[in-house]
Amino acid sequence: DTGVSQNPRHKITKRGQNVTFRCDPISEHNRLYWYRQTLGQGPEFLTYFQNEAQLEKSRLLSDRFSAERPKGSFSTLEIQRTEQGDSAMYLCASSPGQGITGELFFGEGSRLTVL
Amino acid sequence: DQQVKQNSPSLSVQEGRISILNCDYTNSMFDYFLWYKKYPAEGPTFLISISSIKDKNEDGRFTVFLNKSAKHLSLHIVPSQPGDSAVYFCAASEFSRGNEKLTFGTGTRLTIIP
């Protein structure tokens, strides 16, 4: 049983470049979540999907951020024109949905450093 | 607007003693509460949860207590072990409404002293 997988684990980029992160959820999990965590803070909700539908987006998700889950399986989070304030750990989580459990299963995260 | 608050950034406890981590929330719609544990460079891992219909849930060395009137929950770890050293996050959701989205506190770093 594989858990939530994220890659790359660490990305260093220069300001203004675009970056993309990928998340593979636990198979058969319908819901997929993206969170962001900065130093000294707890994870902050960004967006979530029910299958391929993006159902909620946080106001933290500026128009430079876009997330997709095209076939209801893996998801990508793209950040365009990165800024130093985007430096953070980007966490993906999945759940079976449908009220089965209130627990989210997290991946190990993708750390972004913007120089 | 911090809806889930962990007011102690850090806590040090002697090995074998009880560790008590606290969490307060402001959103009265929250009805499901969880504790996650996080090691450096890893994602959060689920530890224990409690529904608002209960006031206590126990799993081995871990017990979570919920006081709905005070909007307060706590995690008790007894006896504390060196492997418990980690950052602990309290989280909450409106699960009964079908909303699993978790709102997290800022975390408490627990250090167990051998």
Side-chain angles (χ1 to χ4, degrees):
Chain A
D1 177 30
T2 58
V4 177
S5 176
Q6 293 187 245
N7 63 81
R9 293 291 310 278
H10 195 178
K11 178 73 175 179
I12 301 173
T13 190
K14 292 182 178 179
R15 187 179 57 186
Q17 298 294 305
N18 299 344
V19 296
T20 299
F21 299 114
R22 175 179 170 127
C23 172
D24 289 88
I26 294 171
S27 60
E28 300 172 357
H29 276 194
N30 295 322
R31 293 191 179 180
L32 187 148
Y33 297 77
W34 285 100
Y35 281 79
R36 180 176 71 186
Q37 184 178 16
T38 53
L39 197 63
Q41 299 296 315
E44 296 173 295
F45 170 78
L46 292 178
T47 188
Y48 93 94
F49 294 83
Q50 170 83 27
N51 298 313
E52 66 273 11
Q54 188 172 18
L55 296 188
E56 186 176 347
K57 292 194 292 186
S58 163
R59 56 185 167 80
L60 292 176
L61 212 66
S62 77
D63 56 6
R64 296 185 297 106
F65 288 69
S66 62
E68 294 182 343
R69 194 182 184 197
K71 297 183 179 179
S73 57
F74 73 91
S75 175
T76 57
L77 177 68
E78 181 183 16
I79 309 173
Q80 296 182 327
R81 305 181 303 282
T82 53
E83 302 173 355
Q84 288 185 326
D86 297 331
S87 295
M89 174 76 85
Y90 290 86
L91 294 163
C92 177
S94 70
S95 75
Q98 300 170 355
I100 295 173
T101 174
E103 175 189 350
L104 300 189
F105 298 79
F106 282 86
E108 295 189 328
S110 294
R111 180 168 296 282
L112 174 64
T113 302
V114 181
L115 302 177
Chain B
D1 178 25
Q2 194 74 22
Q3 297 186 69
V4 178
K5 302 176 184 178
Q6 294 176 257
N7 292 320
S8 298
S10 62
L11 176 67
S12 294
V13 175
Q14 289 281 347
E15 181 179 359
R17 305 293 292 267
I18 184 170
S19 295
I20 300 176
L21 293 88
N22 293 304
C23 177
D24 297 290
Y25 61 97
T26 57
N27 186 344
S28 58
M29 302 306 293
F30 287 148
D31 57 21
Y32 196 73
F33 304 90
L34 308 88
W35 286 93
Y36 279 81
K37 178 179 180 179
K38 188 178 185 302
Y39 293 117
E42 295 185 9
T45 55
F46 170 74
L47 197 56
I48 192 169
S49 63
I50 188 167
S51 164
S52 60
I53 63 173
K54 296 183 176 181
D55 54 19
K56 176 183 174 181
N57 189 27
E58 191 172 355
D59 184 2
R61 296 185 298 113
F62 303 92
T63 303
V64 56
F65 296 91
L66 176 62
N67 182 333
K68 284 177 292 185
S69 61
K71 293 191 176 66
H72 177 83
L73 63 155
S74 61
L75 174 68
H76 292 210
I77 307 173
V78 56
S80 300
Q81 299 175 353
D84 296 330
S85 295
V87 178
Y88 289 78
F89 291 98
C90 172
S93 72
E94 300 177 26
F95 184 54
S96 67
R97 293 169 169 248
N99 188 351
E100 298 168 329
K101 179 182 74 177
L102 297 181
T103 300
F104 284 85
T106 53
T108 296
R109 180 177 300 279
L110 176 64
T111 302
I112 304 302
I113 304 166

